[in-house]
Amino acid sequence: MSDFAATAEAIIRARLKDDPIDATRAGIHDYDGELPDITAEGVARSHGDLKAHLARLARFTPGDLTPAERIDHRLLSSTLDVESREQI
């Protein structure tokens, strides 16, 4: 597994754990008994996590990725960016 693939997988797993409803929608039932933390602290933590994930993805140079990884990088980065903007 490439460094990018491992990073992307770790980010996706962290996001699904952070939002158990999305995890269930994705067919992952590990968090079915949980709800997202929508307290001010939970939202702030989640927003910080999103920014950290985006920073991790920004370390990858698209030219160094395979064509499929470039697509995944763009898709994951865009998705996290939208999530981050929605939390403001």
Coordinates of all heavy atoms in Angstrom, one line a residue:
M1 N 0.9 -1.2 0.0 CA 0.0 0.0 0.0 C 0.9 1.2 0.0 O 1.9 1.3 0.8 CB -0.9 0.0 1.2 CG -1.8 1.2 1.3 SD -2.9 1.2 2.8 CE -4.0 -0.2 2.5
S2 N 0.6 2.2 -0.8 CA 1.4 3.4 -0.9 C 1.2 4.3 0.3 O 0.2 4.1 1.0 CB 1.0 4.2 -2.2 OG -0.3 4.8 -2.1
D3 N 2.0 5.2 0.5 CA 1.9 6.2 1.6 C 0.6 7.0 1.5 O -0.1 7.2 2.4 CB 3.0 7.2 1.6 CG 4.3 6.6 2.1 OD1 4.3 5.5 2.8 OD2 5.4 7.2 1.9
F4 N 0.2 7.3 0.2 CA -1.0 8.1 0.0 C -2.2 7.2 0.4 O -3.1 7.6 1.1 CB -1.2 8.6 -1.4 CG -2.5 9.1 -1.6 CD1 -2.9 10.4 -1.1 CD2 -3.5 8.4 -2.3 CE1 -4.2 10.9 -1.3 CE2 -4.8 8.9 -2.5 CZ -5.1 10.1 -2.0
A5 N -2.2 6.0 -0.1 CA -3.3 5.1 0.2 C -3.5 4.8 1.7 O -4.6 4.9 2.2 CB -3.2 3.7 -0.6
A6 N -2.4 4.6 2.4 CA -2.5 4.4 3.8 C -3.0 5.7 4.5 O -3.8 5.6 5.4 CB -1.1 4.1 4.4
T7 N -2.6 6.9 4.1 CA -3.0 8.1 4.7 C -4.5 8.3 4.4 O -5.3 8.7 5.3 CB -2.2 9.3 4.1 OG1 -0.8 9.1 4.5 CG2 -2.7 10.6 4.6
A8 N -4.9 8.1 3.2 CA -6.3 8.3 2.8 C -7.2 7.3 3.6 O -8.3 7.7 4.1 CB -6.5 8.0 1.3
E9 N -6.8 6.1 3.7 CA -7.6 5.1 4.5 C -7.7 5.5 6.0 O -8.8 5.4 6.5 CB -6.9 3.7 4.4 CG -7.8 2.7 5.1 CD -7.2 1.3 4.9 OE1 -6.7 1.0 3.9 OE2 -7.4 0.4 5.8
A10 N -6.6 6.0 6.5 CA -6.6 6.4 7.9 C -7.6 7.6 8.1 O -8.3 7.7 9.1 CB -5.2 6.8 8.4
I11 N -7.5 8.6 7.2 CA -8.4 9.7 7.2 C -9.9 9.3 7.1 O -10.7 9.8 7.9 CB -8.0 10.8 6.1 CG1 -6.7 11.4 6.5 CG2 -9.1 11.8 6.0 CD1 -6.1 12.3 5.4
I12 N -10.2 8.5 6.2 CA -11.5 8.0 6.0 C -12.1 7.3 7.2 O -13.2 7.5 7.7 CB -11.7 7.1 4.7 CG1 -11.5 8.0 3.5 CG2 -13.0 6.4 4.7 CD1 -11.2 7.2 2.2
R13 N -11.2 6.4 7.8 CA -11.6 5.7 9.0 C -11.9 6.7 10.1 O -12.9 6.5 10.9 CB -10.6 4.7 9.4 CG -10.5 3.5 8.5 CD -9.5 2.5 9.1 NE -9.3 1.4 8.1 CZ -10.1 0.3 8.1 NH1 -11.1 0.2 8.9 NH2 -9.9 -0.7 7.2
A14 N -11.0 7.7 10.3 CA -11.2 8.7 11.4 C -12.5 9.5 11.1 O -13.2 9.8 12.1 CB -10.0 9.6 11.4
R15 N -12.8 9.8 9.9 CA -14.0 10.6 9.6 C -15.3 9.8 9.9 O -16.2 10.3 10.4 CB -14.0 11.1 8.2 CG -13.0 12.1 7.8 CD -12.9 13.4 8.7 NE -14.2 14.0 8.8 CZ -14.7 14.7 9.9 NH1 -14.0 14.7 11.0 NH2 -15.9 15.3 9.8
L16 N -15.2 8.5 9.5 CA -16.4 7.7 9.8 C -16.6 7.4 11.3 O -17.7 7.4 11.7 CB -16.3 6.4 9.0 CG -16.4 6.5 7.5 CD1 -16.1 5.2 6.8 CD2 -17.7 7.0 7.1
K17 N -15.5 7.3 12.0 CA -15.6 7.1 13.5 C -16.2 8.4 14.1 O -17.0 8.4 15.0 CB -14.3 6.8 14.1 CG -14.4 6.6 15.6 CD -13.1 6.2 16.2 CE -13.2 5.9 17.6 NZ -12.0 5.5 18.3
D18 N -15.8 9.6 13.5 CA -16.3 10.9 14.0 C -17.8 11.1 13.7 O -18.4 11.8 14.4 CB -15.4 12.0 13.4 CG -15.6 13.3 14.1 OD1 -15.6 13.3 15.4 OD2 -15.8 14.3 13.5
D19 N -18.2 10.5 12.6 CA -19.6 10.6 12.2 C -20.3 9.2 12.0 O -20.3 8.7 10.9 CB -19.8 11.5 11.0 CG -21.2 11.8 10.7 OD1 -22.2 11.2 11.2 OD2 -21.5 12.8 10.0
P20 N -20.7 8.6 13.1 CA -21.2 7.3 13.1 C -22.4 7.1 12.1 O -22.7 6.0 11.6 CB -21.6 6.9 14.5 CG -21.4 8.1 15.3 CD -20.7 9.2 14.5
I21 N -23.2 8.2 11.9 CA -24.3 8.1 11.0 C -23.8 7.9 9.5 O -24.3 7.1 8.8 CB -25.2 9.4 11.1 CG1 -25.9 9.4 12.5 CG2 -26.3 9.4 10.0 CD1 -26.6 10.7 12.8
D22 N -22.8 8.6 9.2 CA -22.2 8.4 7.8 C -21.6 7.1 7.7 O -21.6 6.4 6.7 CB -21.1 9.5 7.5 CG -21.7 10.8 7.1 OD1 -22.9 10.9 6.7 OD2 -20.9 11.8 7.0
A23 N -21.0 6.6 8.8 CA -20.4 5.2 8.8 C -21.5 4.2 8.5 O -21.3 3.3 7.7 CB -19.7 4.9 10.1
T24 N -22.7 4.3 9.1 CA -23.8 3.4 8.9 C -24.2 3.5 7.5 O -24.5 2.5 6.8 CB -24.9 3.7 9.9 OG1 -24.4 3.5 11.2 CG2 -26.1 2.7 9.6
R25 N -24.3 4.7 6.9 CA -24.7 4.9 5.5 C -23.7 4.2 4.6 O -24.1 3.8 3.5 CB -24.8 6.4 5.2 CG -26.0 7.1 5.7 CD -26.1 8.5 5.2 NE -27.0 9.3 6.0 CZ -26.8 10.4 6.5 NH1 -25.6 11.0 6.4 NH2 -27.7 11.0 7.2
A26 N -22.5 4.2 5.0 CA -21.4 3.6 4.2 C -21.4 2.0 4.4 O -20.6 1.4 3.8 CB -20.1 4.2 4.5
G27 N -22.2 1.5 5.3 CA -22.3 0.1 5.5 C -21.4 -0.4 6.6 O -21.2 -1.6 6.7
I28 N -20.8 0.5 7.3 CA -19.9 0.2 8.5 C -20.8 0.3 9.7 O -21.2 1.4 10.1 CB -18.7 1.1 8.5 CG1 -17.9 0.9 7.2 CG2 -17.8 0.8 9.7 CD1 -16.8 1.9 7.0
H29 N -20.9 -0.8 10.4 CA -21.8 -0.8 11.6 C -21.1 -0.9 12.9 O -21.7 -1.2 13.9 CB -22.8 -2.0 11.4 CG -23.6 -1.9 10.2 ND1 -24.7 -1.0 10.1 CD2 -23.5 -2.5 9.0 CE1 -25.2 -1.1 8.9 NE2 -24.5 -1.9 8.2
D30 N -19.8 -0.5 12.9 CA -19.0 -0.6 14.1 C -19.5 0.5 15.2 O -19.2 0.4 16.3 CB -17.5 -0.3 13.8 CG -16.9 -1.4 13.0 OD1 -17.5 -2.5 12.9 OD2 -15.9 -1.1 12.4
Y31 N -20.1 1.5 14.7 CA -20.5 2.7 15.5 C -22.0 2.9 15.6 O -22.5 3.9 15.9 CB -19.8 3.9 15.1 CG -18.4 3.7 14.7 CD1 -18.0 3.8 13.4 CD2 -17.4 3.5 15.7 CE1 -16.6 3.6 13.0 CE2 -16.1 3.3 15.4 CZ -15.7 3.3 14.0 OH -14.4 3.1 13.7
D32 N -22.8 1.8 15.3 CA -24.2 1.9 15.2 C -24.9 2.5 16.5 O -25.9 3.2 16.5 CB -24.9 0.6 14.9 CG -24.8 0.3 13.4 OD1 -24.3 1.1 12.6 OD2 -25.2 -0.8 13.0
G33 N -24.3 2.2 17.7 CA -24.9 2.6 18.9 C -24.4 4.0 19.3 O -24.8 4.5 20.4
E34 N -23.7 4.7 18.5 CA -23.2 6.1 18.8 C -23.8 7.2 17.9 O -24.4 6.9 16.9 CB -21.7 6.1 18.6 CG -21.0 5.0 19.5 CD -19.5 5.0 19.2 OE1 -18.9 6.0 18.8 OE2 -18.9 3.9 19.3
L35 N -23.7 8.4 18.4 CA -24.2 9.6 17.7 C -23.0 10.5 17.6 O -22.1 10.5 18.4 CB -25.3 10.2 18.4 CG -26.7 9.5 18.4 CD1 -27.7 10.2 19.4 CD2 -27.2 9.3 17.0
P36 N -23.0 11.4 16.6 CA -21.9 12.4 16.5 C -22.0 13.3 17.7 O -23.0 13.6 18.3 CB -22.3 13.2 15.2 CG -23.3 12.4 14.5 CD -24.0 11.5 15.5
D37 N -20.8 13.8 18.1 CA -20.7 14.8 19.2 C -21.0 16.2 18.7 O -20.1 16.8 18.0 CB -19.3 14.7 19.8 CG -19.1 15.6 21.0 OD1 -20.1 16.4 21.4 OD2 -18.0 15.6 21.6
I38 N -22.2 16.7 18.9 CA -22.6 18.0 18.4 C -22.5 19.1 19.4 O -23.0 20.2 19.3 CB -24.0 17.9 17.8 CG1 -25.0 17.5 18.8 CG2 -24.0 17.0 16.5 CD1 -26.4 17.6 18.3
T39 N -21.8 18.8 20.5 CA -21.5 19.9 21.5 C -20.5 20.9 20.9 O -19.9 20.6 19.9 CB -20.9 19.3 22.8 OG1 -19.6 18.8 22.5 CG2 -21.8 18.3 23.4
A40 N -20.4 22.0 21.4 CA -19.5 23.0 20.9 C -18.1 22.5 20.9 O -17.3 22.7 19.9 CB -19.5 24.3 21.8
E41 N -17.7 21.7 21.9 CA -16.4 21.1 22.0 C -16.2 20.1 20.9 O -15.1 20.0 20.3 CB -16.1 20.5 23.4 CG -16.0 21.6 24.5 CD -17.4 21.9 25.0 OE1 -18.4 21.2 24.7 OE2 -17.5 22.9 25.7
G42 N -17.2 19.3 20.7 CA -17.1 18.2 19.7 C -17.0 18.8 18.3 O -16.3 18.3 17.5
V43 N -17.8 19.8 18.0 CA -17.7 20.4 16.7 C -16.4 21.1 16.5 O -15.8 21.0 15.4 CB -18.9 21.5 16.5 CG1 -18.7 22.3 15.3 CG2 -20.2 20.8 16.5
A44 N -15.8 21.8 17.5 CA -14.5 22.4 17.4 C -13.4 21.3 17.2 O -12.5 21.5 16.4 CB -14.2 23.2 18.7
R45 N -13.5 20.2 17.9 CA -12.6 19.1 17.7 C -12.6 18.6 16.3 O -11.6 18.4 15.6 CB -12.8 18.0 18.7 CG -11.8 16.9 18.6 CD -12.2 15.6 19.4 NE -13.6 15.3 19.3 CZ -14.2 14.7 18.2 NH1 -13.4 14.4 17.1 NH2 -15.4 14.4 18.2
S46 N -13.9 18.3 15.8 CA -14.1 17.8 14.5 C -13.5 18.8 13.4 O -12.9 18.3 12.5 CB -15.6 17.6 14.2 OG -15.8 17.1 12.9
H47 N -13.7 20.1 13.6 CA -13.2 21.1 12.7 C -11.7 21.0 12.7 O -11.1 21.1 11.6 CB -13.8 22.4 13.0 CG -13.5 23.5 12.0 ND1 -14.1 23.5 10.8 CD2 -12.6 24.5 12.0 CE1 -13.6 24.5 10.1 NE2 -12.7 25.1 10.8
G48 N -11.1 20.9 13.9 CA -9.6 20.8 13.9 C -9.1 19.6 13.3 O -8.1 19.6 12.6
D49 N -9.8 18.5 13.4 CA -9.4 17.2 12.8 C -9.5 17.4 11.3 O -8.6 16.9 10.5 CB -10.3 16.1 13.2 CG -10.1 15.7 14.6 OD1 -9.1 16.1 15.3 OD2 -11.0 14.9 15.2
L50 N -10.6 18.0 10.8 CA -10.7 18.2 9.3 C -9.5 19.0 8.8 O -8.9 18.7 7.7 CB -12.0 19.0 9.0 CG -13.2 18.1 9.0 CD1 -14.5 19.0 9.0 CD2 -13.3 17.1 7.9
K51 N -9.1 20.1 9.5 CA -8.0 20.9 9.1 C -6.7 20.1 9.1 O -5.9 20.2 8.2 CB -7.9 22.2 10.0 CG -9.0 23.1 9.8 CD -9.0 23.7 8.4 CE -10.1 24.8 8.3 NZ -10.1 25.4 7.0
A52 N -6.5 19.3 10.1 CA -5.3 18.4 10.2 C -5.3 17.4 9.0 O -4.2 17.2 8.4 CB -5.3 17.7 11.5
H53 N -6.4 16.8 8.7 CA -6.5 15.9 7.6 C -6.2 16.6 6.3 O -5.4 16.1 5.4 CB -7.9 15.3 7.5 CG -8.3 14.4 8.6 ND1 -7.4 13.6 9.3 CD2 -9.5 14.3 9.2 CE1 -8.1 13.0 10.3 NE2 -9.4 13.4 10.3
L54 N -6.7 17.8 6.1 CA -6.4 18.6 4.9 C -4.9 18.9 4.8 O -4.3 18.8 3.7 CB -7.2 19.8 4.8 CG -8.7 19.6 4.4 CD1 -9.5 20.9 4.8 CD2 -8.8 19.3 3.0
A55 N -4.3 19.2 5.9 CA -2.9 19.5 5.9 C -2.1 18.2 5.6 O -1.1 18.3 4.8 CB -2.4 20.0 7.3
R56 N -2.5 17.1 6.0 CA -1.8 15.8 5.7 C -1.9 15.5 4.2 O -0.9 15.1 3.6 CB -2.4 14.6 6.5 CG -2.1 14.6 7.9 CD -2.8 13.4 8.6 NE -2.3 12.1 8.3 CZ -2.8 11.0 8.6 NH1 -3.9 11.0 9.3 NH2 -2.3 9.8 8.2
L57 N -3.1 15.8 3.6 CA -3.3 15.6 2.2 C -2.5 16.6 1.4 O -2.0 16.2 0.3 CB -4.7 15.7 1.8 CG -5.6 14.5 2.3 CD1 -7.1 14.8 2.0 CD2 -5.2 13.2 1.7
A58 N -2.3 17.8 1.9 CA -1.6 18.8 1.1 C -0.1 18.5 1.0 O 0.6 19.0 0.1 CB -1.7 20.2 1.8
R59 N 0.4 17.6 1.8 CA 1.8 17.2 1.7 C 2.1 16.3 0.5 O 3.3 16.1 0.1 CB 2.2 16.4 3.0 CG 2.2 17.2 4.2 CD 2.7 16.4 5.4 NE 2.3 17.1 6.7 CZ 1.8 16.5 7.7 NH1 1.6 15.2 7.7 NH2 1.4 17.1 8.7
F60 N 1.1 15.8 -0.1 CA 1.3 14.9 -1.3 C 1.3 15.8 -2.5 O 0.4 16.6 -2.7 CB 0.2 13.9 -1.4 CG 0.3 12.8 -0.3 CD1 -0.5 12.9 0.8 CD2 1.1 11.7 -0.5 CE1 -0.4 12.0 1.8 CE2 1.2 10.8 0.5 CZ 0.5 10.9 1.7
T61 N 2.3 15.6 -3.4 CA 2.4 16.3 -4.6 C 1.6 15.5 -5.7 O 2.0 14.4 -5.9 CB 3.8 16.5 -5.0 OG1 4.5 17.2 -4.0 CG2 4.0 17.3 -6.3
P62 N 0.6 16.1 -6.3 CA -0.2 15.3 -7.3 C 0.7 14.6 -8.4 O 0.4 13.5 -8.8 CB -1.1 16.3 -7.9 CG -1.4 17.3 -6.8 CD 0.0 17.4 -6.1
G63 N 1.8 15.3 -8.8 CA 2.6 14.7 -9.8 C 3.3 13.4 -9.3 O 3.8 12.6 -10.2
D64 N 3.4 13.2 -8.0 CA 4.1 12.0 -7.5 C 3.1 10.9 -7.3 O 3.5 9.8 -6.9 CB 4.8 12.4 -6.2 CG 5.9 13.3 -6.3 OD1 6.5 13.4 -7.5 OD2 6.3 14.0 -5.4
L65 N 1.8 11.2 -7.5 CA 0.8 10.1 -7.3 C 0.4 9.5 -8.6 O 0.6 10.0 -9.7 CB -0.5 10.8 -6.7 CG -0.3 11.5 -5.4 CD1 -1.6 12.2 -5.0 CD2 0.1 10.6 -4.3
T66 N -0.1 8.3 -8.5 CA -0.6 7.6 -9.8 C -1.9 8.3 -10.2 O -2.5 9.1 -9.5 CB -1.0 6.1 -9.5 OG1 -2.1 6.1 -8.6 CG2 0.2 5.4 -8.9
P67 N -2.3 8.1 -11.5 CA -3.5 8.8 -11.9 C -4.7 8.5 -11.0 O -5.5 9.4 -10.7 CB -3.7 8.2 -13.3 CG -2.3 7.9 -13.8 CD -1.6 7.4 -12.6
A68 N -4.9 7.3 -10.6 CA -6.0 6.9 -9.7 C -5.9 7.6 -8.4 O -6.8 8.1 -7.8 CB -6.1 5.4 -9.5
E69 N -4.6 7.7 -7.8 CA -4.4 8.4 -6.6 C -4.7 9.9 -6.7 O -5.2 10.5 -5.8 CB -3.0 8.1 -6.1 CG -2.7 6.7 -5.6 CD -1.3 6.5 -5.2 OE1 -0.4 7.2 -5.7 OE2 -1.1 5.6 -4.3
R70 N -4.4 10.5 -7.8 CA -4.6 11.9 -8.0 C -6.1 12.1 -8.0 O -6.6 13.1 -7.4 CB -4.1 12.4 -9.4 CG -2.6 12.6 -9.4 CD -2.1 13.4 -10.6 NE -2.3 12.7 -11.8 CZ -1.4 11.9 -12.3 NH1 -0.2 11.6 -11.7 NH2 -1.6 11.3 -13.5
I71 N -6.9 11.3 -8.5 CA -8.4 11.4 -8.5 C -8.8 11.3 -7.0 O -9.6 12.1 -6.6 CB -9.1 10.4 -9.4 CG1 -8.8 10.7 -10.9 CG2 -10.6 10.3 -9.1 CD1 -9.2 9.6 -11.8
D72 N -8.3 10.2 -6.4 CA -8.7 10.0 -5.0 C -8.3 11.2 -4.1 O -9.1 11.7 -3.2 CB -8.1 8.8 -4.4 CG -8.7 7.5 -5.0 OD1 -9.8 7.6 -5.6 OD2 -8.1 6.4 -4.9
H73 N -7.1 11.7 -4.3 CA -6.6 12.9 -3.6 C -7.5 14.1 -3.8 O -7.9 14.8 -2.8 CB -5.2 13.2 -4.1 CG -4.5 14.4 -3.3 ND1 -4.7 15.7 -3.7 CD2 -3.7 14.4 -2.2 CE1 -4.0 16.4 -2.9 NE2 -3.4 15.7 -2.0
R74 N -7.9 14.4 -5.0 CA -8.7 15.5 -5.3 C -10.1 15.3 -4.7 O -10.7 16.2 -4.1 CB -8.8 15.7 -6.8 CG -9.7 16.8 -7.3 CD -9.1 18.1 -7.0 NE -10.0 19.2 -7.4 CZ -9.6 20.1 -8.2 NH1 -8.4 20.2 -8.7 NH2 -10.5 21.1 -8.5
L75 N -10.7 14.1 -4.8 CA -12.0 13.8 -4.3 C -12.0 14.0 -2.7 O -12.9 14.6 -2.2 CB -12.5 12.5 -4.7 CG -13.8 12.0 -4.2 CD1 -14.9 12.9 -4.7 CD2 -14.1 10.6 -4.7
L76 N -11.0 13.3 -2.1 CA -11.0 13.4 -0.6 C -10.7 14.8 -0.1 O -11.4 15.3 0.8 CB -9.9 12.4 -0.1 CG -9.8 12.2 1.4 CD1 -11.2 11.8 2.0 CD2 -8.7 11.2 1.7
S77 N -9.8 15.5 -0.8 CA -9.5 16.9 -0.4 C -10.7 17.8 -0.5 O -11.1 18.6 0.4 CB -8.4 17.5 -1.2 OG -7.2 16.8 -1.0
S78 N -11.4 17.6 -1.6 CA -12.6 18.4 -1.9 C -13.7 18.1 -0.9 O -14.4 19.0 -0.4 CB -13.1 18.2 -3.3 OG -12.2 18.6 -4.2
T79 N -13.9 16.9 -0.6 CA -14.9 16.4 0.4 C -14.6 17.0 1.8 O -15.5 17.5 2.4 CB -15.0 14.9 0.4 OG1 -15.4 14.4 -0.9 CG2 -16.1 14.4 1.5
L80 N -13.4 16.9 2.2 CA -13.0 17.4 3.5 C -13.1 18.9 3.6 O -13.5 19.5 4.6 CB -11.6 17.0 3.9 CG -11.4 15.5 4.1 CD1 -10.0 15.2 4.4 CD2 -12.3 14.9 5.1
D81 N -12.8 19.6 2.5 CA -12.9 21.0 2.4 C -14.4 21.5 2.6 O -14.7 22.4 3.3 CB -12.3 21.6 1.1 CG -12.3 23.1 1.1 OD1 -11.7 23.7 2.0 OD2 -12.8 23.6 0.1
V82 N -15.2 20.8 1.9 CA -16.7 21.1 2.0 C -17.2 20.9 3.4 O -17.9 21.7 4.0 CB -17.5 20.3 1.0 CG1 -19.0 20.4 1.3 CG2 -17.2 20.8 -0.4
E83 N -16.8 19.8 4.0 CA -17.2 19.5 5.4 C -16.7 20.6 6.3 O -17.4 21.0 7.2 CB -16.6 18.1 5.9 CG -17.4 16.9 5.3 CD -16.8 15.6 5.9 OE1 -16.5 15.6 7.1 OE2 -16.7 14.7 5.2
S84 N -15.5 21.0 6.1 CA -14.9 22.0 7.0 C -15.7 23.3 6.8 O -16.0 24.0 7.8 CB -13.4 22.2 6.6 OG -12.9 23.3 7.3
R85 N -16.0 23.7 5.6 CA -16.8 25.0 5.4 C -18.2 24.9 5.9 O -18.7 25.9 6.4 CB -16.8 25.3 3.9 CG -15.4 25.7 3.3 CD -15.5 25.8 1.8 NE -14.2 25.9 1.3 CZ -13.6 27.0 1.0 NH1 -14.2 28.2 1.2 NH2 -12.4 27.0 0.5
E86 N -18.8 23.7 5.9 CA -20.1 23.5 6.4 C -20.2 23.7 8.0 O -21.2 24.0 8.5 CB -20.7 22.2 6.0 CG -21.1 22.1 4.6 CD -21.6 20.7 4.2 OE1 -21.3 19.7 4.9 OE2 -22.2 20.6 3.1
Q87 N -19.1 23.4 8.6 CA -19.0 23.5 10.1 C -18.9 24.9 10.6 O -19.1 25.2 11.8 CB -17.9 22.6 10.7 CG -18.2 21.2 10.6 CD -17.1 20.4 11.2 OE1 -16.1 20.9 11.6 NE2 -17.4 19.1 11.4
I88 N -18.6 25.8 9.8 CA -18.3 27.2 10.2 C -19.6 27.9 10.6 O -20.6 27.7 10.1 CB -17.6 28.0 9.1 CG1 -16.2 27.4 8.9 CG2 -17.5 29.5 9.5 CD1 -15.5 28.1 7.7

